[in-house]
């Protein structure tokens, strides 16, 4: 039975993951869009072969890409499910979504879905990563992503509920890809923190409030407390591995916590760079000119 559901999957070079994602939604979701950022691998070929509608669009940011799709693409259904290419829907979640849509949301306009994070085929049950609730199923006319470089949330003008069944996050890329991805996330976090330092704000963002909702409270603590603490990389590892019981996830739990501690320190360094690197560069250039005039002259003689 086909559910009156449109699914949106943003992609870039996801040939490794896309088949498991699309395989979990093709055949029961009425409409599937893959919005690709001009992949150089077989992503587009796989998507079309599996029956998805492929639209290519220049990537300007995670929130902007999805908001563009919601503003532009011809969705023929009221309900929208957004999946990353490294996520897939379980049969139990599939049946629950179909039932909720058949009941027109049962009084709700959007639903949070819990996500299981699989790391090297190990379910990370602790480390602060489970449960992991994400607002992914909603009436698309009522929601848009907040204007933010990273860690963007849906701002939904309506009532929300919670699905009982779960989706799976299982990235099949190797560690080289994982490091590159989180290095990119660290750069985006540095941009977000720089915007905070400049006092930039937007009406289309979650407001950080200590006594607000859970997303507002988490945003407040992250922006006003966490980013000012010393030794954040080590603190984050200790928090994930000991306080969030990451050690119960065994060897992969240790690796997972250690890598995230390292990536947290990436954010610290990139924030420091944003404030200091440009000031240092003219000094470095001057030092080079003063210390190596003979080398420069020799090079100009050889060039003749």
């Amino acid at each position: 039975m086909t559910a009156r559901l449109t699914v949106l999957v943003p992609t870039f070079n996801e040939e490794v993951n896309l088949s498991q994602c699309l395989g979990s939604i093709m055949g029961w979701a009425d409409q599937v869009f893959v919005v690709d950022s001009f992949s150089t691998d077989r992503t587009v070929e796989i998507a079309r072969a599996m029956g998805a509608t492929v639209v290519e669009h220049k990537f300007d940011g995670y929130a902007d890409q999805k908001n563009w799709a919601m503003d532009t693409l011809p969705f023929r259904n009221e309900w929208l499910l957004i999946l990353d290419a490294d996520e897939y829907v379980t049969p139990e979640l599939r049946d629950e979504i179909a039932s909720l849509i058949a009941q027109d949301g049962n009084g709700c306009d959007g639903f949070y879905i819990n996500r299981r994070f699989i790391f090297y085929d190990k379910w990370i049950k602790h480390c602060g990563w489970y449960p992991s609730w994400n607002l992914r199923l909603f009436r698309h006319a009522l929601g848009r992503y907040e204007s933010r470089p990273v860690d963007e949330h849906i701002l939904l003008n309506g009532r929300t509920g919670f699905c009982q069944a779960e989706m799976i996050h299982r990235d099949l890329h190797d560690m080289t890809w994982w490091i590159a991805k989180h290095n990119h996330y660290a750069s985006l976090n540095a941009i977000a923190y720089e915007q905070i330092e400049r006092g930039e704000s937007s009406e289309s963002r979650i407001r950080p409030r200590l006594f607000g909702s859970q997303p507002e409270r988490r945003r407040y603590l992250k922006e006003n407390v966490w980013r000012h603490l010393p030794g954040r990389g080590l603190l984050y590892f200790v928090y994930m591995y000991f306080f969030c019981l990451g050690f119960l996830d065994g060897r992969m739990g240790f690796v997972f916590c250690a890598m995230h501690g390292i990536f947290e320190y990436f954010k610290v360094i990139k924030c420091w760079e944003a404030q200091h690197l440009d000031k240092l560069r003219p000094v470095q250039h001057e030092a080079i000119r003063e210390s190596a005039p003979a080398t420069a002259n020799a090079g100009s003689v050889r060039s003749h």
Side-chain angles (χ1 to χ4, degrees), residues 192-211:
Y193 286 149
E194 190 175 6
Q195 291 174 347
I196 296 169
E197 290 289 344
R198 294 198 299 261
E200 296 180 7
S201 62
S202 170
E203 292 299 322
S204 59
R205 291 187 185 180
I206 289 178
R207 295 298 180 185
R209 296 191 301 169
L210 182 59
F211 299 106

Side-chain angles (χ1 to χ4, degrees), residues 10-12 35-39 55-68 84 148-150 152 184-185 188:
T11 59
F12 177 70
V35 178
D36 187 71
S37 305
F38 299 97
S39 292
V55 179
E56 294 185 297
H57 182 257
K58 179 179 177 291
F59 184 81
D60 291 320
Y62 297 105
D64 290 343
Q65 187 80 335
K66 288 174 282 196
N67 286 338
W68 174 88
D84 291 338
R148 183 178 172 84
V150 69
E152 68 281 1
H184 179 58
Y185 287 164
L188 294 178

Side-chain angles (χ1 to χ4, degrees), residues 238-296:
V238 170
Y239 169 76
M240 292 178 65
Y241 194 66
F242 294 105
F243 285 88
C244 295
L245 307 180
F247 60 88
L248 295 179
D249 288 317
R251 179 184 179 187
M252 287 301 107
F254 175 81
V255 174
F256 189 77
C257 294
M259 294 307 294
H260 278 282
I262 292 170
F263 293 134
E264 187 63 32
Y265 202 69
F266 281 6
K267 298 176 190 177
V268 175
I269 294 299
K270 287 175 182 287
C271 288
W272 182 88
E273 282 187 342
Q275 298 178 10
H276 298 92
L277 194 58
D278 287 340
K279 299 175 184 178
L280 294 176
R281 279 171 174 161
V283 176
Q284 292 172 342
H285 295 165
E286 184 64 31
I288 291 173
R289 285 195 296 270
E290 292 178 357
S291 63
T295 303

